[in-house]
Amino acid sequence: MKSTVGVIGGGQLARMMIPPAVSLGVIIKVLEEAPGMSAELAATGVGDYHDLDTVLSFAKTVDVITFDHEHVPQHVLHALVEAGVPVHPGPDALLYAQDKLLMRHKITELGLPSPDWAAISNADELGAFLDAHGGRAVVKTARGGYDGKGVRVVDDKNAADDWFTVLAEDGRGGSLIVEELVDFVRELAQQVARRPSGEIAAYPVVETVQKGGVCAEVIAPAPTATDAATGLDGSASTVAEVARDIAVRVAEGVGVTGMLAVELFETRDGRVLVNELAMRPHNSGHWSIDGAVTSQFEQHLRAVLDLPLGSTRPRDAWSVMINVLGGPVGQFMQDRYPAVAGEFPAAKLHSYAKESRPGRKVGHVTVSGARLDDVLADARAAAAFFED
Amino acid sequence: MKSTVGVIGGGQLARMMIPPAVSLGVIIKVLEEAPGMSAELAATGVGDYHDLDTVLSFAKTVDVITFDHEHVPQHVLHALVEAGVPVHPGPDALLYAQDKLLMRHKITELGLPSPDWAAISNADELGAFLDAHGGRAVVKTARGGYDGKGVRVVDDKNAADDWFTVLAEDGRGGSLIVEELVDFVRELAQQVARRPSGEIAAYPVVETVQKGGVCAEVIAPAPTATDAATGLDGSASTVAEVARDIAVRVAEGVGVTGMLAVELFETRDGRVLVNELAMRPHNSGHWSIDGAVTSQFEQHLRAVLDLPLGSTRPRDAWSVMINVLGGPVGQFMQDRYPAVAGEFPAAKLHSYAKESRPGRKVGHVTVSGARLDDVLADARAAAAFFED
């Protein structure tokens, strides 16, 4: 089998691929952006992923290329494919994680449910959309947004003028996306893995709680409190079934290889709508490291190597993952281990080996168990130790 | 906190410390015996652990020293301690894992149950022991044995003459150990972790099945079929309680820091006897990587860093670990993944990245679940794929 996986990008997602690579006996090599990044242990190169020569010479040392992030430019990706390098996910799939406008067109073409949306090029078009949607909407840049960046809630047709100006100066005729402000009861995320040969494995849908546009808390599986939804074929279904069906159709429709996360809104009136796509391991799946038979990181390695996928069975009834954001500046998560580990012997502590600064994701905590109330309380309390 | 752990020895036990080190954000550095060993990814040095200068300069790059094996000479260990390096386990504890004769004296001094045993220096002393024990016994060299080496079942007083000759030529007055051939119903292993500050955490006792003196199969926890034993204080106890009490008393009596494994015999007449000690992660605990909240490798890191210990709770009712011994010469375990992973999506596959040769431990497979019969059958069938 091909057994050296090359990861472009040295962040925490690359870092968290290291443990399953070691367990499976898969060699992992990381091209990091700068020395000393989170995935340093597996770094075999340092360089700019925008530079084709850098990426091509890294690719010569591995059997398959995958990613820590979605920012590698299309021309670099296509050059890799032309050079005969297996790239997973491939450029034609990854495009829909890179460009939110193309994603909305594709989701609509696949017959999957989106919030009302439009491509807009000027303030008047924004104004018309606002008039038709109660005066408020979400405006997004097609490219470059993550963790709440490039996303703006607006109630004034001139509130995105700065972005329109940038697009006009760019001169490539790009548009912004405007979307209805969805009246959701909660946010969900559905992950599936897909191999190049077509096999798909779905994880249980999870509930995600965002704070300031950043994922703060994940409950796996999503509790079934509001568990009635309209299926893709109009049938009565559970929210979990609809979420899984949507993600499977996206994975197949777009030809994703590796992990896919579909961020979803569950609306007050029982609809499940596609919010965003991510084609890599995703923050909403970190619970699976400790909470599922096969973690999303092992699954991603299996998928990009075209190996049979592993069981996605949860190990306990509930797992809750809390991100550790910030903490005292200049400290590391592990500085607090003596206190936290003593109080919470069953909490799984994950540090990304990053120095703390306010709002920075430096690690996460997962607790699993039989009762959701207990699991939630322990996970929150353990994570809180790191942030004050 | 001190957060760089140095591991002497580059074998699979060092390798399996890498995933929890990455998760916890602990830096791990390995001094391997030769380039390209199993723990290569974390190797920062190559050298001979018998050489004091090599070990001392490696120790300067880490906060605490621990081990992949028990072969580092006492004079090297003591020099480390004198140089102010935290060494876990320390030389005074490790001595009892290095020398089986000293171990037997210590176990007896601690009031813990051993098979009948004696130190012997010549064939006549062996003959006298054989006469008193039905004509058969086990002879062991005090040092250098592992995986069935340095152990011999004898029924003739001259059957250890070659070893006596070596001891006589050595001229240091050493002895062999002779032990009664225990009529055991099964072999068990009890693991505990102990921190320098004294906290102890015990894993459930497991059943181990040896083939040719090598651990082949581990069932966690040990089934309770013959579950009546005489406690250390003469009370009626369960086998699990007696096993745990023995290991805790050894850990405290000897001052072990890090993981301790006590290999035990359960006899037909309800006794639990100490067979061997190991002061490091142990083959009988590999199940815990996938089967317990805190794996023995994470626990070892926590213990040697003097961090609070993690929960030893099993994740499922049963876990079965099967060693993969050998397989087609020159292949790697991962060459068989396409077949095995498809048949057994819930099997956790662990490769030590070693080329196969007959009888060599190249990896292991663990399956966890609710029914022991199913778990055993799946684990055995999955492991068998690798060996033909």
Side-chain angles (χ1 to χ4, degrees), chain A residues 1 15 22-25 290 293 298 308 310-311 315-316 334 337-338 341-342 345 348-351, chain B residues 1 15 22-25 290 293 298 308 310-311 315-316 334 337-338 342 345 348-351:
Chain A
M1 60 172 270
R15 179 186 182 89
V22 169
S23 295
L24 288 172
D290 304 298
V293 172
E298 177 175 341
S311 163
R315 300 298 301 269
D316 282 283
Q334 44 274 48
Y337 283 176
K348 302 307 295 180
L349 310 174
H350 295 263
S351 166
Chain B
M1 60 172 270
R15 179 185 182 88
V22 169
S23 295
L24 288 171
D290 304 298
V293 171
E298 177 174 342
S311 163
R315 299 299 300 269
D316 282 284
Q334 44 273 51
Y337 283 175
K348 301 308 295 178
L349 309 174
H350 295 264
S351 166

mmCIF file of all heavy atoms in Angstrom, chain A residues 1 15 22-25 290 293 298 308 310-311 315-316 334 337-338 341-342 345 348-351, chain B residues 1 15 22-25 290 293 298 308 310-311 315-316 334 337-338 342 345 348-351:
data_model
loop_
_atom_site.group_PDB
_atom_site.id
_atom_site.type_symbol
_atom_site.label_atom_id
_atom_site.label_comp_id
_atom_site.label_asym_id
_atom_site.label_seq_id
_atom_site.Cartn_x
_atom_site.Cartn_y
_atom_site.Cartn_z
ATOM 1 N N MET A 1 0.833 -1.196 0.000
ATOM 2 C CA MET A 1 0.000 0.000 0.000
ATOM 3 C C MET A 1 0.871 1.251 0.000
ATOM 4 O O MET A 1 1.993 1.248 0.487
ATOM 5 C CB MET A 1 -0.900 0.022 1.244
ATOM 6 C CG MET A 1 -0.150 0.016 2.571
ATOM 7 S SD MET A 1 -1.204 0.271 4.027
ATOM 8 C CE MET A 1 -1.188 2.066 4.199
ATOM 9 N N ARG A 15 -1.226 18.251 13.329
ATOM 10 C CA ARG A 15 -0.711 17.666 14.566
ATOM 11 C C ARG A 15 -1.535 16.454 15.000
ATOM 12 O O ARG A 15 -1.012 15.423 15.376
ATOM 13 C CB ARG A 15 -0.736 18.714 15.686
ATOM 14 C CG ARG A 15 -0.241 18.206 17.034
ATOM 15 C CD ARG A 15 -0.434 19.246 18.148
ATOM 16 N NE ARG A 15 0.079 18.759 19.416
ATOM 17 C CZ ARG A 15 1.325 18.912 19.833
ATOM 18 N NH1 ARG A 15 2.189 19.548 19.080
ATOM 19 N NH2 ARG A 15 1.723 18.410 20.987
ATOM 20 N N VAL A 22 1.012 7.168 13.742
ATOM 21 C CA VAL A 22 1.944 6.336 14.513
ATOM 22 C C VAL A 22 1.306 4.986 14.822
ATOM 23 O O VAL A 22 1.921 3.936 14.660
ATOM 24 C CB VAL A 22 2.373 7.060 15.813
ATOM 25 C CG1 VAL A 22 3.120 6.113 16.743
ATOM 26 C CG2 VAL A 22 3.233 8.275 15.478
ATOM 27 N N SER A 23 0.044 4.996 15.251
ATOM 28 C CA SER A 23 -0.625 3.731 15.578
ATOM 29 C C SER A 23 -0.716 2.822 14.361
ATOM 30 O O SER A 23 -0.409 1.633 14.435
ATOM 31 C CB SER A 23 -2.027 3.992 16.137
ATOM 32 O OG SER A 23 -1.927 4.664 17.369
ATOM 33 N N LEU A 24 -1.119 3.372 13.234
ATOM 34 C CA LEU A 24 -1.315 2.551 12.028
ATOM 35 C C LEU A 24 0.008 2.161 11.372
ATOM 36 O O LEU A 24 0.030 1.272 10.517
ATOM 37 C CB LEU A 24 -2.159 3.311 11.001
ATOM 38 C CG LEU A 24 -3.639 3.494 11.305
ATOM 39 C CD1 LEU A 24 -4.276 4.442 10.294
ATOM 40 C CD2 LEU A 24 -4.375 2.138 11.273
ATOM 41 N N GLY A 25 1.094 2.838 11.730
ATOM 42 C CA GLY A 25 2.354 2.577 11.034
ATOM 43 C C GLY A 25 2.442 3.305 9.707
ATOM 44 O O GLY A 25 3.208 2.926 8.830
ATOM 45 N N ASP A 290 -11.456 10.710 21.213
ATOM 46 C CA ASP A 290 -11.665 9.933 22.433
ATOM 47 C C ASP A 290 -13.031 9.268 22.474
ATOM 48 O O ASP A 290 -13.234 8.330 23.228
ATOM 49 C CB ASP A 290 -11.524 10.854 23.651
ATOM 50 C CG ASP A 290 -10.186 11.568 23.657
ATOM 51 O OD1 ASP A 290 -9.162 10.879 23.726
ATOM 52 O OD2 ASP A 290 -10.179 12.807 23.546
ATOM 53 N N VAL A 293 -14.899 4.892 17.945
ATOM 54 C CA VAL A 293 -13.967 3.785 17.691
ATOM 55 C C VAL A 293 -12.861 4.248 16.738
ATOM 56 O O VAL A 293 -11.683 3.947 16.942
ATOM 57 C CB VAL A 293 -14.706 2.569 17.116
ATOM 58 C CG1 VAL A 293 -13.727 1.496 16.657
ATOM 59 C CG2 VAL A 293 -15.658 1.993 18.169
ATOM 60 N N GLU A 298 -7.830 9.466 12.185
ATOM 61 C CA GLU A 298 -7.518 8.152 11.619
ATOM 62 C C GLU A 298 -8.341 7.930 10.353
ATOM 63 O O GLU A 298 -7.842 7.420 9.343
ATOM 64 C CB GLU A 298 -7.805 7.034 12.626
ATOM 65 C CG GLU A 298 -7.555 5.662 12.006
ATOM 66 C CD GLU A 298 -7.689 4.490 12.962
ATOM 67 O OE1 GLU A 298 -7.629 4.687 14.185
ATOM 68 O OE2 GLU A 298 -7.847 3.359 12.457
ATOM 69 N N PRO A 308 -9.962 0.745 3.585
ATOM 70 C CA PRO A 308 -11.325 0.605 4.111
ATOM 71 C C PRO A 308 -11.514 1.487 5.350
ATOM 72 O O PRO A 308 -10.615 1.594 6.183
ATOM 73 C CB PRO A 308 -11.405 -0.882 4.479
ATOM 74 C CG PRO A 308 -10.403 -1.536 3.579
ATOM 75 C CD PRO A 308 -9.273 -0.550 3.442
ATOM 76 N N GLY A 310 -12.966 2.985 8.948
ATOM 77 C CA GLY A 310 -13.167 2.375 10.257
ATOM 78 C C GLY A 310 -14.554 2.652 10.814
ATOM 79 O O GLY A 310 -15.281 3.526 10.328
ATOM 80 N N SER A 311 -14.893 1.912 11.874
ATOM 81 C CA SER A 311 -16.187 2.071 12.545
ATOM 82 C C SER A 311 -16.314 3.461 13.166
ATOM 83 O O SER A 311 -15.381 3.949 13.814
ATOM 84 C CB SER A 311 -16.318 1.016 13.642
ATOM 85 O OG SER A 311 -17.344 1.366 14.546
ATOM 86 N N ARG A 315 -18.057 5.528 21.604
ATOM 87 C CA ARG A 315 -17.601 4.633 22.671
ATOM 88 C C ARG A 315 -18.472 4.743 23.915
ATOM 89 O O ARG A 315 -18.492 3.837 24.751
ATOM 90 C CB ARG A 315 -16.148 4.962 23.064
ATOM 91 C CG ARG A 315 -15.127 4.828 21.951
ATOM 92 C CD ARG A 315 -15.034 3.403 21.433
ATOM 93 N NE ARG A 315 -14.684 2.411 22.405
ATOM 94 C CZ ARG A 315 -13.447 2.018 22.680
ATOM 95 N NH1 ARG A 315 -12.418 2.552 22.080
ATOM 96 N NH2 ARG A 315 -13.205 1.048 23.567
ATOM 97 N N ASP A 316 -19.111 5.882 24.087
ATOM 98 C CA ASP A 316 -20.004 6.103 25.228
ATOM 99 C C ASP A 316 -21.260 6.768 24.698
ATOM 100 O O ASP A 316 -21.285 7.254 23.559
ATOM 101 C CB ASP A 316 -19.331 7.016 26.268
ATOM 102 C CG ASP A 316 -18.311 6.287 27.115
ATOM 103 O OD1 ASP A 316 -18.727 5.551 28.032
ATOM 104 O OD2 ASP A 316 -17.104 6.446 26.860
ATOM 105 N N GLN A 334 -0.500 22.983 29.161
ATOM 106 C CA GLN A 334 0.038 21.977 30.079
ATOM 107 C C GLN A 334 0.514 22.579 31.412
ATOM 108 O O GLN A 334 0.674 21.835 32.381
ATOM 109 C CB GLN A 334 1.102 21.094 29.424
ATOM 110 C CG GLN A 334 2.134 21.757 28.566
ATOM 111 C CD GLN A 334 1.684 21.951 27.126
ATOM 112 O OE1 GLN A 334 0.569 22.428 26.867
ATOM 113 N NE2 GLN A 334 2.524 21.626 26.181
ATOM 114 N N TYR A 337 -1.998 21.537 33.926
ATOM 115 C CA TYR A 337 -2.333 20.118 34.111
ATOM 116 C C TYR A 337 -2.344 19.682 35.576
ATOM 117 O O TYR A 337 -3.216 18.897 35.972
ATOM 118 C CB TYR A 337 -1.375 19.228 33.325
ATOM 119 C CG TYR A 337 -1.640 19.159 31.839
ATOM 120 C CD1 TYR A 337 -0.785 18.440 31.012
ATOM 121 C CD2 TYR A 337 -2.736 19.781 31.253
ATOM 122 C CE1 TYR A 337 -1.001 18.359 29.643
ATOM 123 C CE2 TYR A 337 -2.955 19.720 29.895
ATOM 124 C CZ TYR A 337 -2.086 19.001 29.086
ATOM 125 O OH TYR A 337 -2.290 18.914 27.742
ATOM 126 N N PRO A 338 -1.368 20.109 36.384
ATOM 127 C CA PRO A 338 -1.378 19.604 37.762
ATOM 128 C C PRO A 338 -2.719 19.851 38.456
ATOM 129 O O PRO A 338 -3.220 18.971 39.165
ATOM 130 C CB PRO A 338 -0.235 20.391 38.422
ATOM 131 C CG PRO A 338 0.718 20.656 37.288
ATOM 132 C CD PRO A 338 -0.182 20.936 36.096
ATOM 133 N N ALA A 341 -5.872 17.929 35.949
ATOM 134 C CA ALA A 341 -5.844 16.464 35.874
ATOM 135 C C ALA A 341 -6.230 15.829 37.198
ATOM 136 O O ALA A 341 -6.808 14.738 37.231
ATOM 137 C CB ALA A 341 -4.464 15.985 35.419
ATOM 138 N N GLY A 342 -5.933 16.515 38.297
ATOM 139 C CA GLY A 342 -6.311 15.983 39.602
ATOM 140 C C GLY A 342 -7.805 16.042 39.842
ATOM 141 O O GLY A 342 -8.400 15.128 40.405
ATOM 142 N N PRO A 345 -10.016 13.280 36.449
ATOM 143 C CA PRO A 345 -9.146 12.196 35.956
ATOM 144 C C PRO A 345 -9.648 11.554 34.656
ATOM 145 O O PRO A 345 -8.871 10.900 33.970
ATOM 146 C CB PRO A 345 -9.142 11.185 37.104
ATOM 147 C CG PRO A 345 -10.311 11.541 37.950
ATOM 148 C CD PRO A 345 -10.556 13.004 37.784
ATOM 149 N N LYS A 348 -10.135 14.085 28.865
ATOM 150 C CA LYS A 348 -9.035 13.918 27.922
ATOM 151 C C LYS A 348 -8.545 15.303 27.530
ATOM 152 O O LYS A 348 -9.301 16.114 26.984
ATOM 153 C CB LYS A 348 -9.490 13.128 26.693
ATOM 154 C CG LYS A 348 -10.038 11.741 27.007
ATOM 155 C CD LYS A 348 -9.101 10.894 27.851
ATOM 156 C CE LYS A 348 -7.823 10.552 27.141
ATOM 157 N NZ LYS A 348 -6.936 9.728 28.021
ATOM 158 N N LEU A 349 -7.285 15.565 27.825
ATOM 159 C CA LEU A 349 -6.693 16.891 27.659
ATOM 160 C C LEU A 349 -5.852 16.915 26.395
ATOM 161 O O LEU A 349 -4.961 16.086 26.223
ATOM 162 C CB LEU A 349 -5.821 17.213 28.878
ATOM 163 C CG LEU A 349 -6.498 16.994 30.238
ATOM 164 C CD1 LEU A 349 -5.492 17.206 31.378
ATOM 165 C CD2 LEU A 349 -7.694 17.921 30.402
ATOM 166 N N HIS A 350 -6.161 17.856 25.522
ATOM 167 C CA HIS A 350 -5.432 17.955 24.253
ATOM 168 C C HIS A 350 -4.837 19.346 24.133
ATOM 169 O O HIS A 350 -5.560 20.340 24.094
ATOM 170 C CB HIS A 350 -6.369 17.689 23.078
ATOM 171 C CG HIS A 350 -6.901 16.291 23.062
ATOM 172 N ND1 HIS A 350 -6.342 15.293 22.302
ATOM 173 C CD2 HIS A 350 -7.908 15.710 23.742
ATOM 174 C CE1 HIS A 350 -6.999 14.154 22.500
ATOM 175 N NE2 HIS A 350 -7.967 14.384 23.371
ATOM 176 N N SER A 351 -3.537 19.410 24.058
ATOM 177 C CA SER A 351 -2.845 20.691 23.872
ATOM 178 C C SER A 351 -2.255 20.727 22.473
ATOM 179 O O SER A 351 -1.699 19.740 21.995
ATOM 180 C CB SER A 351 -1.721 20.829 24.900
ATOM 181 O OG SER A 351 -0.857 21.892 24.525
ATOM 182 N N MET B 1 5.285 23.295 34.460
ATOM 183 C CA MET B 1 5.606 21.868 34.707
ATOM 184 C C MET B 1 6.780 21.425 33.833
ATOM 185 O O MET B 1 7.030 21.994 32.779
ATOM 186 C CB MET B 1 4.388 20.997 34.365
ATOM 187 C CG MET B 1 3.938 21.104 32.903
ATOM 188 S SD MET B 1 2.648 19.915 32.435
ATOM 189 C CE MET B 1 3.605 18.523 31.863
ATOM 190 N N ARG B 15 7.769 3.966 20.985
ATOM 191 C CA ARG B 15 6.894 4.407 19.885
ATOM 192 C C ARG B 15 5.488 4.711 20.393
ATOM 193 O O ARG B 15 4.894 5.719 20.036
ATOM 194 C CB ARG B 15 6.823 3.315 18.817
ATOM 195 C CG ARG B 15 5.904 3.662 17.636
ATOM 196 C CD ARG B 15 5.757 2.485 16.652
ATOM 197 N NE ARG B 15 4.934 2.846 15.517
ATOM 198 C CZ ARG B 15 5.384 3.401 14.397
ATOM 199 N NH1 ARG B 15 6.676 3.639 14.255
ATOM 200 N NH2 ARG B 15 4.564 3.720 13.425
ATOM 201 N N VAL B 22 1.881 13.576 22.079
ATOM 202 C CA VAL B 22 1.359 14.572 21.133
ATOM 203 C C VAL B 22 0.033 15.122 21.653
ATOM 204 O O VAL B 22 -0.200 16.332 21.645
ATOM 205 C CB VAL B 22 1.194 13.959 19.727
ATOM 206 C CG1 VAL B 22 0.413 14.892 18.811
ATOM 207 C CG2 VAL B 22 2.566 13.646 19.124
ATOM 208 N N SER B 23 -0.851 14.244 22.118
ATOM 209 C CA SER B 23 -2.154 14.705 22.612
ATOM 210 C C SER B 23 -1.992 15.650 23.803
ATOM 211 O O SER B 23 -2.613 16.705 23.849
ATOM 212 C CB SER B 23 -3.030 13.516 23.010
ATOM 213 O OG SER B 23 -3.345 12.746 21.876
ATOM 214 N N LEU B 24 -1.158 15.270 24.746
ATOM 215 C CA LEU B 24 -0.998 16.074 25.963
ATOM 216 C C LEU B 24 -0.174 17.335 25.736
ATOM 217 O O LEU B 24 -0.170 18.238 26.579
ATOM 218 C CB LEU B 24 -0.309 15.248 27.060
ATOM 219 C CG LEU B 24 -1.126 14.139 27.712
ATOM 220 C CD1 LEU B 24 -0.236 13.291 28.615
ATOM 221 C CD2 LEU B 24 -2.295 14.704 28.512
ATOM 222 N N GLY B 25 0.548 17.392 24.617
ATOM 223 C CA GLY B 25 1.437 18.528 24.404
ATOM 224 C C GLY B 25 2.753 18.380 25.148
ATOM 225 O O GLY B 25 3.447 19.355 25.421
ATOM 226 N N ASP B 290 -6.770 1.442 23.415
ATOM 227 C CA ASP B 290 -8.104 1.586 22.838
ATOM 228 C C ASP B 290 -9.204 1.256 23.842
ATOM 229 O O ASP B 290 -10.342 1.647 23.647
ATOM 230 C CB ASP B 290 -8.237 0.660 21.622
ATOM 231 C CG ASP B 290 -7.137 0.939 20.606
ATOM 232 O OD1 ASP B 290 -7.089 2.064 20.096
ATOM 233 O OD2 ASP B 290 -6.313 0.039 20.357
ATOM 234 N N VAL B 293 -9.959 4.554 29.456
ATOM 235 C CA VAL B 293 -10.017 6.011 29.336
ATOM 236 C C VAL B 293 -8.599 6.589 29.236
ATOM 237 O O VAL B 293 -8.327 7.476 28.432
ATOM 238 C CB VAL B 293 -10.773 6.625 30.535
ATOM 239 C CG1 VAL B 293 -10.651 8.138 30.537
ATOM 240 C CG2 VAL B 293 -12.248 6.208 30.485
ATOM 241 N N GLU B 298 -0.122 6.870 28.161
ATOM 242 C CA GLU B 298 -0.411 8.192 28.720
ATOM 243 C C GLU B 298 -0.161 8.183 30.228
ATOM 244 O O GLU B 298 0.412 9.125 30.778
ATOM 245 C CB GLU B 298 -1.863 8.604 28.434
ATOM 246 C CG GLU B 298 -2.184 9.943 29.089
ATOM 247 C CD GLU B 298 -3.566 10.505 28.745
ATOM 248 O OE1 GLU B 298 -4.176 10.060 27.756
ATOM 249 O OE2 GLU B 298 -4.005 11.401 29.488
ATOM 250 N N PRO B 308 -1.117 14.319 38.057
ATOM 251 C CA PRO B 308 -2.200 13.466 38.559
ATOM 252 C C PRO B 308 -2.527 12.370 37.535
ATOM 253 O O PRO B 308 -2.533 12.627 36.335
ATOM 254 C CB PRO B 308 -3.365 14.441 38.723
ATOM 255 C CG PRO B 308 -2.717 15.780 38.929
ATOM 256 C CD PRO B 308 -1.475 15.746 38.092
ATOM 257 N N GLY B 310 -4.579 9.440 35.400
ATOM 258 C CA GLY B 310 -5.855 9.438 34.706
ATOM 259 C C GLY B 310 -6.719 8.250 35.089
ATOM 260 O O GLY B 310 -6.247 7.284 35.700
ATOM 261 N N SER B 311 -7.990 8.344 34.699
ATOM 262 C CA SER B 311 -8.947 7.271 34.971
ATOM 263 C C SER B 311 -8.546 5.993 34.240
ATOM 264 O O SER B 311 -8.193 6.023 33.060
ATOM 265 C CB SER B 311 -10.337 7.707 34.501
ATOM 266 O OG SER B 311 -11.191 6.584 34.390
ATOM 267 N N ARG B 315 -13.416 1.227 28.551
ATOM 268 C CA ARG B 315 -14.392 1.908 27.697
ATOM 269 C C ARG B 315 -15.534 0.983 27.297
ATOM 270 O O ARG B 315 -16.610 1.433 26.916
ATOM 271 C CB ARG B 315 -13.723 2.433 26.426
ATOM 272 C CG ARG B 315 -12.613 3.440 26.637
ATOM 273 C CD ARG B 315 -13.091 4.694 27.326
ATOM 274 N NE ARG B 315 -14.123 5.431 26.648
ATOM 275 C CZ ARG B 315 -13.940 6.416 25.773
ATOM 276 N NH1 ARG B 315 -12.727 6.774 25.444
ATOM 277 N NH2 ARG B 315 -14.953 7.048 25.238
ATOM 278 N N ASP B 316 -15.264 -0.317 27.278
ATOM 279 C CA ASP B 316 -16.277 -1.311 26.937
ATOM 280 C C ASP B 316 -16.158 -2.437 27.957
ATOM 281 O O ASP B 316 -15.180 -2.509 28.700
ATOM 282 C CB ASP B 316 -16.031 -1.864 25.524
ATOM 283 C CG ASP B 316 -16.501 -0.905 24.438
ATOM 284 O OD1 ASP B 316 -17.724 -0.836 24.223
ATOM 285 O OD2 ASP B 316 -15.658 -0.235 23.843
ATOM 286 N N GLN B 334 1.149 -3.149 7.597
ATOM 287 C CA GLN B 334 0.231 -2.303 6.846
ATOM 288 C C GLN B 334 -0.009 -2.806 5.421
ATOM 289 O O GLN B 334 -0.989 -2.403 4.789
ATOM 290 C CB GLN B 334 0.627 -0.816 6.895
ATOM 291 C CG GLN B 334 2.089 -0.492 6.707
ATOM 292 C CD GLN B 334 2.858 -0.531 8.015
ATOM 293 O OE1 GLN B 334 2.783 -1.514 8.772
ATOM 294 N NE2 GLN B 334 3.632 0.492 8.286
ATOM 295 N N TYR B 337 -3.449 -4.178 5.372
ATOM 296 C CA TYR B 337 -4.586 -3.363 5.808
ATOM 297 C C TYR B 337 -5.776 -3.402 4.842
ATOM 298 O O TYR B 337 -6.929 -3.445 5.296
ATOM 299 C CB TYR B 337 -4.181 -1.909 6.023
ATOM 300 C CG TYR B 337 -3.419 -1.634 7.299
ATOM 301 C CD1 TYR B 337 -2.912 -0.372 7.568
ATOM 302 C CD2 TYR B 337 -3.217 -2.630 8.254
ATOM 303 C CE1 TYR B 337 -2.219 -0.099 8.736
ATOM 304 C CE2 TYR B 337 -2.506 -2.362 9.414
ATOM 305 C CZ TYR B 337 -2.018 -1.090 9.650
ATOM 306 O OH TYR B 337 -1.334 -0.812 10.800
ATOM 307 N N PRO B 338 -5.526 -3.352 3.516
ATOM 308 C CA PRO B 338 -6.699 -3.321 2.628
ATOM 309 C C PRO B 338 -7.650 -4.498 2.891
ATOM 310 O O PRO B 338 -8.865 -4.323 2.893
ATOM 311 C CB PRO B 338 -6.073 -3.380 1.236
ATOM 312 C CG PRO B 338 -4.741 -2.712 1.411
ATOM 313 C CD PRO B 338 -4.268 -3.175 2.770
ATOM 314 N N GLY B 342 -11.150 -3.892 5.857
ATOM 315 C CA GLY B 342 -12.466 -4.069 5.261
ATOM 316 C C GLY B 342 -13.319 -5.079 6.010
ATOM 317 O O GLY B 342 -14.527 -4.892 6.181
ATOM 318 N N PRO B 345 -13.965 -3.471 10.580
ATOM 319 C CA PRO B 345 -13.885 -2.010 10.695
ATOM 320 C C PRO B 345 -13.724 -1.512 12.125
ATOM 321 O O PRO B 345 -13.313 -0.366 12.328
ATOM 322 C CB PRO B 345 -15.216 -1.528 10.091
ATOM 323 C CG PRO B 345 -16.106 -2.722 10.067
ATOM 324 C CD PRO B 345 -15.230 -3.929 9.985
ATOM 325 N N LYS B 348 -8.835 -2.239 16.074
ATOM 326 C CA LYS B 348 -7.804 -1.209 16.141
ATOM 327 C C LYS B 348 -6.470 -1.856 15.778
ATOM 328 O O LYS B 348 -6.001 -2.779 16.449
ATOM 329 C CB LYS B 348 -7.737 -0.592 17.539
ATOM 330 C CG LYS B 348 -9.039 0.057 18.000
ATOM 331 C CD LYS B 348 -9.621 1.058 17.023
ATOM 332 C CE LYS B 348 -8.755 2.265 16.818
ATOM 333 N NZ LYS B 348 -9.364 3.198 15.807
ATOM 334 N N LEU B 349 -5.878 -1.355 14.695
ATOM 335 C CA LEU B 349 -4.675 -1.953 14.119
ATOM 336 C C LEU B 349 -3.452 -1.138 14.532
ATOM 337 O O LEU B 349 -3.411 0.072 14.308
ATOM 338 C CB LEU B 349 -4.806 -1.967 12.594
ATOM 339 C CG LEU B 349 -6.125 -2.566 12.057
ATOM 340 C CD1 LEU B 349 -6.202 -2.400 10.545
ATOM 341 C CD2 LEU B 349 -6.249 -4.028 12.466
ATOM 342 N N HIS B 350 -2.493 -1.795 15.119
ATOM 343 C CA HIS B 350 -1.279 -1.116 15.580
ATOM 344 C C HIS B 350 -0.057 -1.768 14.959
ATOM 345 O O HIS B 350 0.195 -2.954 15.171
ATOM 346 C CB HIS B 350 -1.183 -1.192 17.106
ATOM 347 C CG HIS B 350 -2.285 -0.457 17.808
ATOM 348 N ND1 HIS B 350 -2.142 0.824 18.275
ATOM 349 C CD2 HIS B 350 -3.566 -0.814 18.082
ATOM 350 C CE1 HIS B 350 -3.276 1.229 18.823
ATOM 351 N NE2 HIS B 350 -4.161 0.247 18.716
ATOM 352 N N SER B 351 0.657 -1.001 14.163
ATOM 353 C CA SER B 351 1.889 -1.505 13.564
ATOM 354 C C SER B 351 3.064 -0.816 14.225
ATOM 355 O O SER B 351 3.031 0.388 14.473
ATOM 356 C CB SER B 351 1.887 -1.195 12.067
ATOM 357 O OG SER B 351 3.188 -1.381 11.542
#
